[in-house]
Amino acid sequence: MVNNKQFIEFQEKIGDLKHLKRTGWVVRGVPAAETVASHSWRMALMAMQKENELASMGVNVSKVVEMCLVHDVAEAVIGDIIPENFQASDKKISREEKIKSEKKAINDLSEKYNFPKLKSLFNEYEKGQTTEAKVVKDLDKTDMILQAYEYMQEYPELTRLDEFMAYNEKDVTLPVFASALKEIKSRQEKGETKEDKFIDFQILAGKLKHLERSGPKMYNIANCETVASHCFRTAIMALHLEEDLKEQGLNVQSIIRTAIVHDIGEAVIGDIVPEKWQKGAKISKEGKHKKEVEAIVGMSRKFAVPFIWKAFDTMERRATPEASMTKDLEIFESIQQAYEYIKIYPEKAILREYVPYHQPRIKSDLVQGLIDGIKIKQDRFLTSKNFPTFYKEGGR
């Protein structure tokens, strides 16, 4: 079992991935490049969309989703190190040194934070021998090439992005992804586009990689988290709490998958904050819900992804114990993030509102305990900086 202190501290480490820009894009001049968390999130979403095809091949798709989520976790410790031939500094890091550093980071994190599955999934991915590991490696390439295509469309002046198009369908090990790579390359090289539900859905969903969450953004938080990274850490939280959740008789994979897609409607409608914080023409809670429903139902039908509607609907209604737990965890993720922002911006009083505002909405004792743990750490930090531990309306 994971204790509250271990869990909160590990999630702080994971939080670094929400803000860590992928180096390959940064060195090629991409403004506001995607984060490591956002990249891992879309890989998991891709696996979910391809579930039927992968399952027919005998692939354990649940393991693939988990492996996608954790495959780059070591970068929270060592950073995102690009291949040696692209490194600009005089002090180059070889592939062997990188692998050694990653393994040490994963071993340390796994042992310190009582997360043995992190180590087993990462080791399986690195060895690349199982079908599941090969699927994840193909997903890594597929998301990277699709992201390169998206950036090339947005920033045609950045000529070095075409280096990513050197990958071909022959560079993936499984035919299930070869057609996607072929279509992406055709769109980029020939300007020819044909309907492809997989690519078109992932391009739409990919907007969440760069859509900043409106709550923190309202208060001018620099390097603000994205919607995709929020979904990513919510899913990681469920995976880290796997044994605790199983003890309650919960289906952990259902929680993880719902966490991944719970905000996907925001790719269409944007991230709308609660009405009391809106400026100008206001959208009520009911109005927002209606917009989300229309967006998700439309996406489900257009791209043949019914799982996104099922996940959203059950979570919104807390229709199952798993859906209710996902709701609690996504609320807690926002509280954890507010605490992490407070450590950077203790003067932003509004952030201290997250605990009293959100805690009454939590249904599970497990997550209530986690919030209590956050509050202890948060109050201790604020006291040490001579800031008040409470927020009073109108005091922002």
Side-chain angles (χ1 to χ4, degrees):
M1 300 300 169
V2 181
N3 67 44
N4 289 353
K5 184 174 182 292
Q6 284 177 324
F7 181 81
I8 292 167
E9 288 183 1
F10 177 73
Q11 295 306 327
E12 285 188 70
K13 292 283 187 185
I14 293 298
D16 290 341
L17 299 178
K18 297 174 74 177
H19 309 283
L20 179 63
K21 309 295 185 186
R22 297 250 286 163
T23 309
W25 310 124
V26 174
V27 299
R28 289 170 175 82
V30 174
E34 67 166 340
T35 64
V36 174
S38 296
H39 161 64
S40 300
W41 168 80
R42 190 162 67 173
M43 284 173 59
L45 182 64
M46 285 179 167
M48 291 171 64
Q49 189 178 2
K50 287 285 189 181
E51 177 153 26
N52 291 339
E53 292 171 75
L54 293 171
S56 70
M57 296 161 48
V59 174
N60 182 337
V61 181
S62 293
K63 180 184 277 190
V64 167
V65 169
E66 293 176 351
M67 204 177 291
C68 287
L69 293 171
V70 305
H71 82 287
D72 275 342
V73 161
E75 294 180 9
V77 177
I78 69 170
D80 182 24
I81 302 170
I82 56 177
E84 188 175 2
N85 58 311
F86 291 115
Q87 294 173 27
S89 104
D90 294 333
K91 189 177 180 181
K92 291 184 178 284
I93 300 172
S94 68
R95 184 173 183 275
E96 292 72 24
E97 290 174 309
K98 177 189 175 185
I99 292 172
K100 184 178 179 180
S101 296
E102 283 179 328
K103 287 184 176 179
K104 184 181 186 308
I106 290 294
N107 289 342
D108 291 347
L109 291 171
S110 183
E111 292 172 15
K112 183 175 181 179
Y113 299 110
N114 190 20
F115 197 175
K117 197 165 193 178
L118 173 64
K119 181 177 178 179
S120 64
L121 286 169
F122 178 81
N123 287 341
E124 182 175 341
Y125 170 74
E126 276 300 302
K127 289 177 182 176
Q129 296 175 350
T130 64
T131 304
E132 287 74 18
K134 291 174 182 177
V135 168
V136 177
K137 288 182 180 294
D138 280 1
L139 284 166
D140 190 26
K141 292 189 184 77
T142 303
D143 178 68
M144 178 183 67
I145 294 166
L146 180 56
Q147 187 60 71
Y149 166 72
E150 291 166 331
Y151 284 148
M152 289 168 83
Q153 297 301 299
E154 189 171 2
Y155 308 110
E157 70 279 9
L158 300 180
T159 56
R160 287 189 59 203
L161 292 173
D162 63 3
E163 293 170 353
F164 291 94
M165 291 297 153
Y167 284 97
N168 290 291
E169 49 270 26
K170 64 180 175 58
D171 293 309
V172 298
T173 59
L174 301 168
V176 66
F177 300 111
S179 61
L181 265 63
K182 186 175 181 180
E183 173 60 18
I184 294 167
K185 287 173 68 69
S186 176
R187 291 186 182 193
Q188 177 58 33
E189 295 170 359
K190 302 176 183 178
E192 299 174 357
T193 301
K194 67 178 182 181
E195 183 183 30
D196 188 304
K197 286 184 170 61
F198 175 70
I199 293 173
D200 294 336
F201 173 66
Q202 293 300 332
I203 288 175
L204 178 58
K207 292 182 178 181
L208 300 182
K209 285 181 162 192
H210 304 91
L211 179 64
E212 294 180 330
R213 298 195 79 202
S214 296
K217 189 178 179 181
M218 272 194 314
Y219 299 98
N220 301 313
I221 300 294
N223 193 20
C224 186
E225 64 173 332
T226 65
V227 175
S229 64
H230 160 66
C231 295
F232 163 80
R233 187 162 66 171
T234 304
I236 287 276
M237 286 178 169
L239 183 57
H240 193 192
L241 291 170
E242 182 172 29
E243 295 305 315
D244 301 79
L245 297 173
K246 281 183 175 179
E247 193 174 69
Q248 297 183 26
L250 298 175
N251 181 329
V252 181
Q253 270 303 316
S254 175
I255 297 170
I256 290 172
R257 291 174 184 228
T258 302
I260 289 168
V261 303
H262 77 276
D263 273 342
I264 205 153
E266 294 180 7
V268 176
I269 70 168
D271 183 25
I272 302 171
V273 295
E275 188 175 2
K276 73 172 187 174
W277 291 317
Q278 294 172 26
K279 297 178 181 178
K282 300 201 170 193
I283 300 173
S284 67
K285 182 178 179 182
E286 294 73 24
K288 176 190 174 184
H289 180 73
K290 183 180 179 181
K291 283 177 175 288
E292 279 189 299
V293 168
E294 290 173 351
I296 294 173
V297 169
M299 293 165 73
S300 296
R301 291 172 177 168
K302 182 175 182 179
F303 302 112
V305 284
F307 63 89
I308 66 172
W309 165 248
K310 181 179 179 182
F312 171 81
D313 182 50
T314 55
M315 193 181 91
E316 285 296 294
R317 295 186 294 112
R318 291 186 183 260
T320 66
E322 288 79 9
S324 185
M325 179 60 73
T326 312
K327 187 70 176 177
D328 282 357
L329 285 175
E330 80 93 8
I331 294 170
F332 173 76
E333 202 284 327
S334 296
I335 293 172
Q336 169 104 23
Q337 185 60 70
Y339 160 64
E340 291 165 10
Y341 286 144
I342 282 171
K343 290 170 69 177
I344 303 171
Y345 308 105
E347 73 281 2
K348 291 185 181 287
I350 186 65
L351 294 169
R352 298 195 283 284
E353 186 181 39
Y354 273 68
V355 170
Y357 176 78
H358 288 296
Q359 191 162 19
R361 303 169 61 204
I362 300 298
K363 307 295 184 185
S364 73
D365 291 340
L366 173 63
V367 180
Q368 284 287 357
L370 293 171
I371 295 175
D372 289 340
I374 284 282
K375 190 172 188 307
I376 290 170
K377 292 173 75 70
Q378 183 171 293
D379 288 354
R380 187 178 297 142
F381 172 79
L382 288 167
T383 299
S384 73
K385 300 296 182 182
N386 296 317
F387 280 94
T389 59
F390 61 91
Y391 167 78
K392 184 161 59 176
E393 187 68 40
R396 67 189 68 175

